[in-house]
Every structure is written in C-alpha cells, then in structure tokens.
Amino acid sequence: MGFSGFRVFREGLRGNRGWARQWRDPEPRPAYDIVIVGGGGHGLASAYYLARNHGLGNIAVLEKGYLGGGNVGRNTTIVRANYFLPGNSEFYSHSLKLWEGLERELNYNVMHSQRGIINLFHSDGQRDAFARRGNAMINQGDDAVLLDREGVRAHVPYLDFEQTRFPIHGGLLHPRGGTARHDAVAWGFARGADRRGVDLIQNCEVTGIDIEGGRVTGVQTTRGAIRAGKVGVVVAGRSGQVAAMAGLRLPVESHVLQAFVTEGLKPVINQVVTYGMGHFYISQSDKGGLVFGGDLDFHASYAARGNLPAAEHVMEAGMTLMPMIGKARGLRSWGGIVDMTPDGSPIIDKAPVEGLFLNCGWNYGGFKAVPASGWAMAHLMATGQPHATAERFRLDRFASGHLLDEEGTGSQHNLH
C-alpha cells in the first residue's frame, strides 16, 4: 500500500476505514536461515536491510511483546551526527544520510524534522572543545556552526544566559540534526521488512539459544523451538540476559534512562537544545509537548520505569536552563532500559559462538543510529565482514584497549 497526501485526506473523510493491515501476523515456521531476536528499531532495520541490500529471504524477527514496544518507542527522538572520534564520526554521519532519505526509501512518514541542534558551552575550555568537534564534523562532511553568546540568543532567547554557576558562553549548532517520530520509524521498517517476505513474530519470547559443536543451531521460544543457521541478538537493555543464554558475559550494564513530556503548548522551541553542564536536552514535539530528558538512573536495573531522584535532577536542570519550563504541567514520564558499555560506544560484531551476532551497547544514543545500525548488522550477517562504518565497534576492544571513549558517558563497572 502506498501513502500519499490524497490518500490520507480521502481516508479522513471516510472514517479511516479503508486502511489495510501494515504487516502480516504469521505463525513461526520450524526453521529459518536467519533469526533476529528483538523487534525494536535496530532489529527491524537489520531484517529490512538483509532483505533489501542482500536479497536474503527466509528471515524471522522474534519479539517477546509487540513490535516497537521497547526503547524505540521510549526515547526523546533526537537524530544527530555531531560525533568527534574516528569510528563514531563516520558511522553517525552515514546514519544521518540514511535518515535524510528514509521516508522516500520506506514510503512512510517518519516525521524526520531537521530543525537543528544547539549544544551549549559554558567555559573557554568547552568552547575550544566544541570548536574542535565542529571542525571534525565538517571534515567528516557534516555541518557545524560555532555560535557566540549573541548567536545563541538569536536562536533561543528564552534561556537563562546569566545563570550564576554556568553562564552560557555560546553553542555549537548542527543544522542537519533534529528529531523523528520514534513509533513511525519502527512501523516503517516493519512494513518494509514484511513486504520483502520477513516474518515478524510478536509475543514470542526467546528462552534459550541452541548450540552444537560451538555453532548456533536455533533458539527456544515460548512458541516452540525454531532452527536457524544464523542468529542476531538485537535486544538493547536485555543484551546481557540473552547473551548469557549462549554462555557469554558481555561488557554491558543495563540502566534506566527516563524521559518526560509536558502538556501541549504553542510552538516555542524550534531546535533541540542540550545543556551539557546539567545533562539536560529538550525539544518540542509536533503535538506541542516539551520532550526532555537527562542523566540515567545511577543504578543497574531492568525496570522500564524511573525513580524520583533522577526525575528531580532532570527537572532542576531544566529550571536552571529555562525557568519558563516551570509553568508547564508534566504530562507523563517513561523509562527505557539502555545497555551501557564502559566506553559509551556500541558493539556490532560476531560473537565467539559461530553463527551468533551481537548488536548492543547503544548507551544514550540508540535511536539516531537505527538506520546505520541495521545497515551494518545486515552487512555483517550477510557477508561475515564488518561494514566499513562499523569496523571499530568490535567486542574485543575492551580486552585489547582500543576503546572509543567519545564522551566518557559509558558505565564504569568499578563504581557500581
């Protein structure tokens, strides 16, 4: 089914009764060539690109709940490519290019809005660091504009520029950054994968991974055993638990990252604004709600809900940066389970078990990586070789010391 403005208008007049199901709801088959465990953004994108880029069929995505019910629907929707270190820089640059053509590729409105991102700085040292980051972004082929205080004020005059502790000195503007509708991204990849013959199996929890002679042979699920020649584990905050089924102990910790949204308001925030000193970021949704978040809950947890101390910390940071936010009524909050690596960068690599592949460790930034993550994972599973943009996302880097410590925001296992 194609989508068009005319079709949306016509269905609106007819009570939206003419829409067909967007994907099938098949029963699992006894065997597949490839099984992807995890029906979130990364898992669905991996399946889609396996079929689209490599012409592979006989693929299943297994999701213990409903498609898109995990982190892909529990984030603050930010899309950006403002990374600094080689390894991360080219990967997220590739992801942003995929985002820019995603709606045409999927024929699905993912509401990608390149409204721009402003990262604030509050000292001379931060200015120098952001100038260096901006130059690295430009050298990578992306865009960056260094703003002084008045340049920032021209974009976001409602901030508290004279706050006592961290006055705003300027910011780094990433014009091609922005936001996208998280649910629509999952739905678009799901529909695209289904149209290429991928079986999307919902309410099918994986309870075991079958291994014979050091090679994966399939998975055990709540809907029966499924044989597979290759298995990809793409389960975000549950990565450590699922990998343990194959006898692996991954260098990840699972933490809860909360997000918040206010009541709908008139348009006031045109860009995404990040406040590094308070670890606070905010944008405004198309429905008018202010969407914001901050630090993760500083204890390991598998509970997809937040706690009050972290919520208070985020609210305090928001009030410090823009006191006007105190007049908005909070509508709801939610928590996503993020798997944190020690260096804050992801893992896309083969597992020590033959035929088993890992895609995990997305830390704070999994949503913006969805297209490139699926692209790289599909390339790895189809060819056995890492994609050029993901060559440094190796599992063994934590043993060799070749870390990608982009921002020092990864989990520090010795402190937990």
Side-chain angles (χ1 to χ4, degrees):
M1 177 195 299
F3 289 91
S4 66
F6 173 74
R7 181 70 187 276
V8 172
F9 177 74
R10 187 179 69 176
E11 291 298 333
L13 295 178
R14 297 182 177 184
N16 288 303
R17 291 187 295 269
W19 297 113
R21 292 180 65 93
Q22 295 300 291
W23 54 81
R24 298 169 294 124
D25 188 22
E27 291 294 318
R29 284 181 268 166
Y32 293 92
D33 293 335
I34 298 175
V35 163
I36 302 292
V37 183
H42 293 254
L44 293 169
S46 298
Y48 172 80
Y49 287 120
L50 277 165
R52 188 264 198 195
N53 291 357
H54 303 280
L56 299 179
N58 200 21
I59 301 168
V61 175
L62 309 183
E63 168 55 43
K64 72 173 183 177
Y66 61 91
L67 296 180
N71 286 2
V72 72
R74 292 173 170 268
N75 60 76
T76 49
T77 74
I78 297 172
V79 174
R80 58 187 175 90
N82 54 355
Y83 280 72
F84 173 63
L85 291 182
N88 281 326
S89 181
E90 58 267 33
F91 177 84
Y92 288 101
S93 179
H94 178 226
S95 195
L96 183 56
K97 291 182 178 70
L98 292 175
W99 275 108
E100 290 171 330
L102 194 60
E103 290 171 324
R104 183 178 293 106
E105 166 73 24
L106 299 176
N107 184 225
Y108 209 95
N109 181 15
V110 301
M111 300 170 69
H112 182 212
S113 172
Q114 292 183 285
R115 61 187 66 185
I117 295 176
I118 299 177
N119 297 110
L120 303 175
F121 56 76
H122 308 271
S123 68
D124 292 341
Q126 279 192 323
R127 178 189 291 111
D128 293 344
F130 275 147
R132 189 180 180 196
R133 178 180 294 267
N135 287 331
M137 292 164 60
I138 292 170
N139 289 338
Q140 176 60 42
D142 296 311
D143 58 342
V145 180
L146 194 68
L147 304 174
D148 60 14
R149 173 182 285 197
E150 295 310 310
V152 173
R153 197 189 300 273
H155 287 280
V156 284
Y158 45 79
L159 302 182
D160 182 359
F161 285 79
E162 305 298 338
Q163 53 183 285
T164 303
R165 189 173 183 188
F166 301 120
I168 297 171
H169 289 194
L172 183 66
L173 171 63
H174 176 30
R176 288 169 59 220
T179 61
R181 171 70 179 177
H182 42 27
D183 296 320
V185 174
W187 300 334
F189 274 118
R191 191 181 77 126
D194 176 78
R195 293 178 70 176
R196 285 167 172 78
V198 176
D199 282 357
L200 306 177
I201 314 296
Q202 303 180 79
N203 300 308
C204 182
E205 182 177 358
V206 170
T207 58
I209 297 177
D210 297 330
I211 300 171
E212 294 181 9
R215 179 177 181 82
V216 69
T217 59
V219 294
Q220 298 292 323
T221 80
T222 53
R223 298 177 66 175
I226 299 175
R227 297 190 305 276
K230 296 179 180 179
V231 174
V233 176
V234 196
V235 294
R238 300 288 180 176
S239 298
Q241 291 176 311
V242 176
M245 299 176 187
L248 303 178
R249 184 181 180 187
L250 298 182
V252 298
E253 285 186 348
S254 294
H255 292 257
V256 179
L257 181 61
Q258 294 187 68
F260 308 85
V261 66
T262 71
E263 61 186 326
L265 304 170
K266 292 182 178 180
V268 60
I269 300 179
N270 296 326
Q271 299 87 0
V272 179
V273 181
T274 75
Y275 172 38
M277 299 308 293
H279 202 171
F280 176 83
Y281 36 90
I282 188 168
S283 62
Q284 189 166 15
S285 75
D286 291 331
K287 293 193 295 184
L290 303 183
V291 182
F292 54 95
D295 277 315
L296 49 70
D297 290 11
F298 286 105
H299 60 273
S301 175
Y302 290 111
R305 59 182 184 273
N307 64 56
L308 187 57
E312 290 179 337
H313 171 75
V314 173
M315 302 298 177
E316 289 170 356
M319 287 292 292
T320 300
L321 180 64
M322 50 178 70
M324 70 175 189
I325 198 175
K327 296 182 179 180
R329 288 179 293 184
L331 187 63
R332 65 182 180 275
S333 65
W334 60 92
I337 307 171
V338 296
D339 45 334
M340 306 288 291
T341 57
D343 65 355
S345 296
I347 299 167
I348 303 178
D349 201 0
K350 299 177 184 178
V353 178
E354 188 176 355
L356 187 65
F357 300 83
L358 302 172
N359 182 321
C360 61
W362 290 100
N363 301 276
Y364 287 97
F367 180 69
K368 62 182 173 292
V370 163
S373 168
W375 188 288
M377 185 67 169
H379 185 276
L380 177 66
M381 295 190 73
T383 68
Q385 300 298 319
H387 189 263
T389 61
E391 288 179 332
R392 301 197 185 195
F393 296 161
R394 296 175 58 90
L395 175 61
D396 66 2
R397 71 178 186 269
F398 303 103
S400 66
H402 294 88
L403 303 182
L404 283 171
D405 198 358
E406 180 75 26
E407 298 172 334
T409 54
S411 61
Q412 299 180 45
H413 303 271
N414 61 307
L415 299 182
H416 293 286

